Amino acid sequence: MLLFRVSAVSRNLVRWGRGSRRGGGLLHRHLSLSSSRCQGVTVGQNSAPSSAPSSDAGSAKGLYGDTVLLPRTEFPMKLSGQKLLDTELEIQQECGFADLYTWQRERKSKKTFCLHDGPPYANGDPHVGHALNKILKDIRNRFEMLRGRQVHYIPGWDCHGMPIELKALGELGTSSLSPLQIRQKAREFAEGAIARQSAAFQRWGVMADWSQCYYTYDGAYEAAQLTVFQEMHNKGLIYQDYKPIFWSPSSRTALAEAELEYNHEHVSRAVYTTFPLVTLPPKITSNAACLDGVSVLVWTTQPWTIPANQAVCYMPNTQYSVVKRADNSQPLLVATERAASVAAMLGTELQSVGTFTGSELEGGVCKHPTIPDKEVPLLPANHVTMAKGTGLVHTAPAHGMEDYGVASQFQLSVECLVDEDGKFTELAGPELQDLPVMSEGNEKVISMLTACGALVKEEKCVHSYPCDWRTKQPVIIRPSKQWFINTASLKDKAKEALQKVRVVPESARGSLLAMLDRRTYWCISRQRSWGVPIPVFYHRETGEALINKHSVAHVANLFREKGSDCWWELPLETLLPAEVLKKSKVGPVSDYVRGEDVLDIWFDSGTSWAAVLEEEMEEESEESESRLSWLPASLRNPLVTESEPKADAYVEGKDQIGGWFQSSLLTSVAVRNKAPYKSLVVHGFTVSEEGEKMSKSLGNVVDPDTIINGGKDPSTPAYGADVLRWWVAESNVFSEVQIGPTALNSAKDSIGKLRNTLKFLLGNLNGFDPHSQAVDPKEMHYIDQYMLHLLREFSMKVTDAYSEFDAGRVIRILQAFISRNLSNFYFSIIKHRLYCDPKDSLGRRSCQTALEEILDGVTRAIAPILPHLAEEVYVHAPGHDKGETLFRSGWIKSSPVWKRPGLEEAVEGACAIRDSFLSSIPGKNAAQYELSVAIEPGLLFELMESLQEEPSSTSSQLVELMMAARVNLSSSLPRDLPSDALLSHGTFLINLEGGVIREDSAYSIAVVPTSAARCPRCRRYTTTSPNCLCPRCQTIISQVQ
């Protein structure tokens, strides 16, 4: 039965193979064939005609040169300097780059793709970090638009905050300016930065409607932000409290953790100091003898916090020991497992005289080392660790987050001894008052510890320390009355929502979850002028806050109409009108003053989903309007279904794991119980080619404007925008991304090689009209059909890679396709047919049909990455109407017809034989050899017969594939082979009908030098004598004449 099926299949293969020459199909439609891809090879340097065929006789060249169809195109192989820049700008203008976004928003489409732009900060010039982010987004947007989706992408800017305020004011400071004056200067500065950044983004080819962007200082945006604030306040998630927060003395404001940078080389003056034990813990009074005169030993890197000490904490389940110093017999209480380290630090032996569990220390009381008559308790705490120090922790609730937790549990004082400038207050005592805590104040506390005999040891400690993200100065922790979001109550919901989000790369998910775990609350108030005012009013006498849904909704409406400057411009009676007071059931407006704090900029940007993503949300006020009313109608089309108001993707750098990604997640979960995004794409930072962070002081900053337009130094050429885009696409964006001359020159060279391939394709399509001259796939040569099959596979792989935000994989797929399948394989095979066959012959038109499809597919594949080059190629490509542009004509057009049953097996079987042939003559010109192929009767033989019907041929499709002078096909090798014949053997596995039929077919080849001479026209070794045309060329020339 199996043999019968094999035989039947074989007959069908032969019939179809021969029938294809009469216009029939290639192989049986119901066959399922698979094999490894044929290998690209490098053949002898004279194996194919050059772009200018020549012969040994000059007269022959003169006679036949005009009959050879050489490539011809006006497409330049190379563009550089000003010509490159002019071409890119001309393409942007003529191909309607500026109108493309609006065009695609107005076309009908069943599917949408929404990439929500994380707003860059409007505080400086564009840099390569901007380029990495914006181009990465644009590559995906252009891909989605090409494949027919309606893209929603509104660029935005984060416009508020201290860094802008500080830069805008420069050396003026804020002391002499009113809040409105400060805001005006900050707004002007932000607008200038936005203009410069916007111009750069457009020059890079980023697709958007640049006349319709979002800005966090826009009144409608601010109103949407306050609505989110109101909803979170109504749910009890926003509250006011007095607790420790990160405080920047250098900028005199509270900071969120996302606004911190860490100096990993910070040097602190760490001290070991004693707290004498004055009240023994009740559980160990029986060991009073060993506890006589004992002091608790603590270690801290912040000695300035000791005056604020309220307790010493221990770990309940850890062992503690009383040890005596060998050098002075001083008894100290330390954790047992830290005793050895403490002994090494002190440079003396420690003798253990008693051991207890931590829980037995409960009830002990110590004497404060610097404040007479003050006593502090020993308290249990879970934050005590054994990694460093003594296992006993100095606890100052005003200056530590964990310390504050202990104070909350045991009702300790949280009195603050440090002011907003980072100086000790009067409460710290006359010796410390007005001293900066991080310098002179620290020094003074250490001297006080020395004076009272409490200082045991001082040492330098190099460790990671938080700094203000803009001033780069150290921050402190101090308590302040601020507004907070209770993130602890949102954490579980946020984690649950995050599980439904796709994270690229997946490894970033752990960091997202860890950041959520660490954040128990979020301080959202800032003591600045440039920002969105917190809509709160305070009672003049009691200080009680007035904030409710009525007051916030009213202020939000004012902001929507007039912008947030009205908080300072309008009288209090307008901000807090009688009807709001009545609904709030409070006294007259004269009892209140407006608040002075503004919202954290992370809350600004973190509510962008409400201001930009949603067309409208339910508003209590009847006068409320769409959040996007400030956009034209075409941009206010529903982005997503009403039940799923999410962006398809947020794409930002890894610093946003604790920033915009998290703030957006928390606010959206708080209001809507869902994430605002379906996927997160987290990319790395840009660094120098040495892997160093870019810094002006190091001189390694790379300016994207210089990359594109060139610098004053001749060594910095103009690369153009497409090189910058290729660099982004080619880089592994999920790690640190290096940039410098090496990377840019590599990108330039890669584009140059691509242009060379495109020029070859365009040149050989000169005069070809795909609408009237294209050949039906069933009538095309098998190798041409095979290339369409490979093109279809290529297009599917490229589509998948773009869908995964993996433009680097797109480039690798593209380069492999060009190098392996085109340059090293197909192009070297078809040149004879392209150049020397009759212009309108079926063989040549078949080849041009394949080349046109390949050109179109490759051009569309590179278009999202290289839009300027793609449109330039499209202008020169055949078959397009004048004015038509690539980006308005769709994605790669591959046909299921190109997946032909049996086609792959036939060509790849021939390629396996071809590899054996070429391997037997390494470095030689295959065209100078005759090849005899012997295959036992079976499927492989019949497949090869479909490529060559005759037993011997110099012009069959099999000959073309082999690139030989002649191919002889038989079931056995001739017996009279010459003695110099090169013999080789191989096998090829045929897999039919999904593995039902498998045949491992053996073949043998014999290679001998040809006795034929080289034809002066086609340069193939197929003529009987030198300077005489081969039979094929004689026929062609006679037809021309």
Side-chain angles (χ1 to χ4, degrees):
M1 185 65 177
L2 180 61
L3 292 174
F4 173 79
R5 295 184 64 182
V6 171
S7 178
V9 170
S10 301
R11 287 194 297 272
N12 284 331
L13 291 175
V14 175
R15 283 199 300 271
W16 200 322
R18 293 171 178 170
S20 66
R21 292 168 175 78
R22 299 186 295 274
L26 170 62
L27 297 172
H28 199 282
R29 295 179 183 273
H30 301 293
L31 292 182
S32 176
L33 305 176
S34 64
S35 169
S36 60
R37 189 71 58 242
C38 65
Q39 297 298 311
V41 296
T42 302
V43 297
Q45 59 183 346
N46 296 319
S47 61
S50 67
S51 58
S54 61
S55 69
D56 296 332
S59 58
K61 181 178 179 181
L63 285 172
Y64 310 118
D66 292 342
T67 70
V68 178
L69 301 169
L70 299 179
R72 187 174 302 161
T73 178
E74 294 180 0
F75 179 79
M77 183 180 296
K78 183 179 180 181
L79 282 177
S80 60
Q82 192 60 46
K83 178 64 175 175
L84 168 64
L85 303 181
D86 290 344
T87 298
E88 286 191 342
L89 292 173
E90 184 181 348
I91 287 169
Q92 288 192 0
Q93 181 69 30
E94 293 187 0
C95 296
F97 275 36
D99 304 322
L100 184 59
Y101 181 82
T102 303
W103 169 83
Q104 64 89 30
R105 289 292 294 165
E106 292 174 345
R107 68 177 176 174
K108 294 181 179 180
S109 179
K110 293 181 180 180
K111 294 184 178 180
T112 63
F113 177 78
C114 175
L115 196 160
H116 183 36
D117 190 35
Y121 209 52
N123 71 328
D125 293 328
H127 51 71
V128 288
H130 288 129
L132 175 64
N133 180 260
K134 294 298 181 184
I135 292 172
L136 185 62
K137 293 173 182 176
D138 189 61
I139 288 171
R140 181 60 182 270
N141 281 339
R142 285 181 176 271
F143 162 69
E144 295 291 349
M145 189 215 69
L146 277 169
R147 66 171 181 166
R149 295 189 175 181
Q150 190 180 76
V151 172
H152 182 279
Y153 174 75
I154 299 178
W157 274 269
D158 199 351
C159 310
H160 290 134
M162 175 192 66
I164 292 174
E165 187 175 318
L166 294 178
K167 279 194 173 184
L169 298 178
E171 297 179 358
L172 290 176
T174 60
S175 57
S176 61
L177 300 178
S178 69
L180 282 173
Q181 289 174 319
I182 293 171
R183 289 172 66 84
Q184 179 59 31
K185 289 185 175 294
R187 179 183 289 270
E188 290 172 357
F189 181 88
E191 288 172 344
I194 289 169
R196 295 192 299 276
Q197 291 181 19
S198 176
F201 301 164
Q202 293 176 65
R203 179 62 185 90
W204 303 342
V206 178
M207 178 184 69
D209 183 348
W210 294 99
S211 65
Q212 301 294 341
C213 302
Y214 79 89
Y215 313 97
T216 58
Y217 60 40
D218 182 89
Y221 187 100
E222 294 171 327
Q225 181 179 340
L226 287 195
T227 302
V228 174
F229 178 93
Q230 172 195 327
E231 294 181 24
M232 293 180 68
H233 183 267
N234 290 347
K235 293 181 178 182
L237 295 170
I238 292 178
Y239 62 97
Q240 191 179 36
D241 199 1
Y242 180 81
K243 63 171 68 178
I245 46 87
F246 290 108
W247 184 271
S248 171
S250 57
S251 52
R252 301 184 83 251
T253 187
L255 296 177
E257 189 163 339
E259 296 171 298
L260 302 176
E261 290 181 351
Y262 284 83
N263 176 8
H264 300 291
E265 303 298 325
H266 182 82
V267 180
S268 290
R269 298 178 66 180
V271 298
Y272 289 84
T273 188
T274 55
F275 283 67
L277 188 63
V278 295
T279 299
L280 296 182
K283 293 180 181 180
I284 55 175
T285 52
S286 59
N287 294 318
C290 74
L291 295 172
D292 185 39
V294 72
S295 291
V296 173
L297 185 65
V298 302
W299 174 78
T300 179
T301 61
Q302 306 299 313
W304 63 269
T305 63
I306 287 179
N309 177 277
Q310 300 295 333
V312 174
C313 289
Y314 59 86
M315 185 181 289
N317 298 325
T318 295
Q319 271 199 335
Y320 287 85
S321 297
V322 174
V323 295
K324 277 192 176 181
R325 296 181 57 162
D327 55 353
N328 62 13
S329 298
Q330 182 184 21
L332 301 170
L333 179 65
V334 298
T336 304
E337 67 178 275
R338 295 299 303 164
S341 297
V342 171
M345 175 274 299
L346 294 175
T348 186
E349 293 184 4
L350 297 177
Q351 178 186 0
S352 175
V353 296
T355 301
F356 323 96
T357 61
S359 59
E360 293 179 285
L361 298 175
E362 183 180 356
V365 178
C366 299
K367 181 181 182 297
H368 195 286
T370 64
I371 302 176
D373 304 324
K374 181 174 180 178
E375 295 180 344
V376 297
L378 285 170
L379 295 174
N382 292 326
H383 72 274
V384 179
T385 70
M386 299 296 134
K388 291 182 179 179
T390 67
L392 292 147
V393 176
H394 144 63
T395 302
H399 304 297
M401 309 301 187
E402 292 94 349
D403 306 40
Y404 177 78
V406 174
S408 300
Q409 183 179 353
F410 294 101
Q411 288 77 53
L412 302 179
S413 170
V414 193
E415 189 173 45
C416 185
L417 308 180
V418 181
D419 66 14
E420 295 179 347
D421 292 314
K423 297 178 180 179
F424 281 117
T425 66
E426 184 180 0
L427 294 174
E431 289 184 274
L432 294 173
Q433 185 177 357
D434 294 331
L435 295 180
V437 299
M438 295 294 286
S439 52
E440 294 100 315
N442 212 36
E443 173 70 34
K444 185 62 179 176
V445 170
I446 293 173
S447 66
M448 291 169 68
L449 291 170
T450 303
C452 69
L455 184 68
V456 175
K457 175 88 173 186
E458 178 187 348
E459 63 184 8
K460 288 184 178 180
C461 177
V462 180
H463 62 130
S464 181
Y465 193 85
C467 298
D468 187 321
W469 67 322
R470 292 303 175 184
T471 66
K472 310 303 180 185
Q473 297 302 307
V475 301
I476 60 175
I477 294 175
R478 65 181 289 271
S480 177
K481 198 168 188 179
Q482 302 287 345
W483 287 91
F484 298 90
I485 292 177
N486 182 5
T487 53
S489 64
L490 292 170
K491 190 182 304 181
D492 290 341
K493 287 184 179 179
K495 285 183 176 180
E496 183 181 348
L498 199 56
Q499 293 305 319
K500 301 175 184 177
V501 174
R502 181 168 175 266
V503 180
V504 181
E506 179 61 29
S507 57
R509 186 183 300 277
S511 299
L512 287 159
L513 294 170
M515 287 281 192
L516 282 171
D517 273 331
R518 289 205 297 266
R519 195 170 201 171
T520 55
Y521 57 83
W522 172 10
C523 178
I524 59 169
S525 49
R526 298 292 181 270
Q527 290 65 55
R528 310 300 304 181
S529 297
W530 180 230
V532 178
I534 296 178
V536 61
F537 305 89
Y538 297 100
H539 196 278
R540 290 179 183 274
E541 302 296 331
T542 66
E544 183 179 356
L546 171 58
I547 181 170
N548 55 49
K549 62 182 180 180
H550 309 296
S551 62
V552 177
H554 176 73
V555 173
N557 285 332
L558 289 175
F559 283 11
R560 183 179 290 107
E561 181 183 350
K562 303 176 182 297
S564 59
D565 280 355
C566 72
W567 185 255
W568 289 271
E569 293 171 337
L570 296 177
L572 191 59
E573 292 78 8
T574 305
L575 296 173
L576 192 57
E579 59 268 23
V580 171
L581 291 167
K582 183 178 179 180
K583 292 177 181 178
S584 304
K585 299 178 181 179
V586 295
V589 69
S590 58
D591 289 348
Y592 291 91
V593 296
R594 72 195 88 195
E596 297 180 353
D597 292 346
V598 298
L599 284 164
D600 174 19
I601 58 172
W602 292 109
F603 191 84
D604 275 21
S605 60
T607 54
S608 60
W609 58 265
V612 181
L613 285 185
E614 294 190 338
E615 185 181 10
E616 66 180 336
M617 290 177 62
E618 290 182 6
E619 300 284 348
E620 289 187 6
S621 171
E622 294 181 358
E623 298 177 357
S624 66
E625 61 186 26
S626 167
R627 296 186 193 276
L628 299 178
S629 58
W630 46 287
L631 292 172
S634 63
L635 298 182
R636 283 188 276 119
N637 292 339
L639 310 183
V640 284
T641 62
E642 186 177 348
S643 61
E644 191 71 10
K646 294 183 179 182
D648 287 289
Y650 277 33
V651 183
E652 300 301 329
K654 63 183 181 181
D655 56 328
Q656 300 307 316
I657 287 175
W660 189 57
F661 290 157
Q662 189 184 96
S663 62
S664 299
L665 176 66
L666 291 171
T667 54
S668 180
V669 166
V671 175
R672 310 185 303 169
N673 289 319
K674 63 180 69 177
Y677 35 68
K678 297 177 184 177
S679 62
L680 288 177
V681 179
V682 187
H683 63 73
F685 295 146
T686 54
V687 295
S688 70
E689 287 187 330
E690 291 72 33
E692 298 173 329
K693 184 178 179 180
M694 291 193 181
S695 166
K696 290 182 180 178
S697 61
L698 294 176
N700 61 359
V701 175
V702 180
D703 183 357
D705 182 69
T706 303
I707 292 173
I708 292 176
N709 297 308
K712 296 177 181 178
D713 189 335
S715 65
T716 53
Y719 289 104
D722 273 358
V723 165
L724 185 65
R725 294 177 68 99
W726 183 278
W727 161 73
V728 171
E730 190 175 30
S731 300
N732 178 10
V733 297
F734 304 124
S735 63
E736 306 299 49
V737 182
Q738 295 183 346
I739 186 170
T742 302
L744 294 170
N745 284 326
S746 174
K748 178 184 175 183
D749 292 344
S750 295
I751 294 176
K753 293 175 183 176
L754 177 59
R755 290 189 72 96
N756 189 20
T757 299
L758 295 168
K759 185 178 177 68
F760 177 87
L761 289 165
L762 287 167
N764 283 292
L765 290 171
N766 179 48
F768 179 71
D769 182 1
H771 300 299
S772 61
Q773 295 173 330
V775 178
D776 186 283
K778 295 178 182 179
E779 298 179 2
M780 293 170 67
H781 278 215
Y782 294 170
I783 182 61
D784 302 331
Q785 293 186 54
Y786 177 70
M787 291 310 300
L788 295 184
H789 162 72
L790 294 182
L791 179 63
R792 183 172 183 269
E793 288 190 342
F794 164 78
S795 70
M796 290 189 292
K797 291 177 182 177
V798 165
T799 299
D800 288 344
Y802 274 126
S803 299
E804 298 289 326
F805 271 99
D806 198 347
R809 182 151 56 101
V810 171
I811 287 180
R812 293 192 296 274
I813 293 168
L814 171 73
Q815 291 178 326
F817 180 71
I818 290 176
S819 174
R820 178 183 175 185
N821 296 325
L822 297 183
S823 299
N824 290 343
F825 179 58
Y826 188 56
F827 288 172
S828 61
I829 290 171
I830 60 171
K831 286 181 180 178
H832 286 295
R833 186 156 35 116
L834 276 174
Y835 299 166
C836 300
D837 273 13
K839 181 178 181 181
D840 296 318
S841 65
L842 177 62
R844 188 168 185 274
R845 291 304 188 203
S846 169
C847 184
Q848 287 184 308
T849 301
L851 291 179
E852 195 275 332
E853 294 286 4
I854 292 169
L855 173 66
D856 191 70
V858 168
T859 306
R860 293 181 195 279
I862 66 169
I865 298 170
L866 305 174
H868 303 88
L869 175 58
E871 290 288 16
E872 182 188 359
V873 172
Y874 201 74
V875 168
H876 291 84
H880 308 137
D881 296 332
K882 187 176 182 181
E884 184 182 348
T885 67
L886 182 145
F887 279 98
R888 302 189 188 207
S889 60
W891 187 229
I892 303 173
K893 303 173 181 65
S894 67
S895 171
V897 175
W898 297 352
K899 178 68 174 175
R900 298 293 301 282
L903 173 65
E904 189 175 3
E905 204 77 4
V907 176
E908 293 188 0
C911 285
I913 298 171
R914 178 177 183 263
D915 290 342
S916 298
F917 166 45
L918 295 175
S919 297
S920 68
I921 52 168
K924 303 292 182 62
N925 184 359
Q928 294 178 321
Y929 291 85
E930 291 187 8
L931 173 65
S932 294
V933 180
I935 308 172
E936 293 183 0
L939 292 179
L940 182 60
F941 184 84
E942 295 179 10
L943 285 170
M944 294 306 100
E945 276 193 315
S946 71
L947 295 171
Q948 178 172 307
E949 290 182 331
E950 304 84 2
S952 180
S953 177
T954 60
S955 59
S956 69
Q957 293 185 49
L958 188 59
V959 171
E960 182 180 54
L961 269 165
M962 299 300 160
M963 300 173 64
R966 176 183 294 276
V967 172
N968 303 309
L969 180 62
S970 62
S971 59
S972 61
L973 292 177
R975 294 181 179 180
D976 56 346
L977 286 171
S979 58
D980 60 348
L982 303 172
L983 302 180
S984 181
H985 310 279
T987 61
F988 180 72
L989 177 62
I990 297 174
N991 191 347
L992 301 177
E993 299 186 352
V996 174
I997 302 176
R998 293 167 62 88
E999 182 176 295
D1000 199 4
S1001 302
Y1003 61 85
S1004 300
I1005 62 171
V1007 181
V1008 297
T1010 183
S1011 60
R1014 188 171 70 168
C1015 172
R1017 179 175 178 272
C1018 69
R1019 300 179 63 192
R1020 293 190 62 229
Y1021 288 83
T1022 52
T1023 187
T1024 54
S1025 60
N1027 299 326
C1028 289
L1029 294 176
C1030 67
R1032 183 184 69 153
C1033 287
Q1034 288 179 14
T1035 302
I1036 294 170
I1037 292 298
S1038 65
Q1039 290 173 348
V1040 171
Q1041 294 174 346

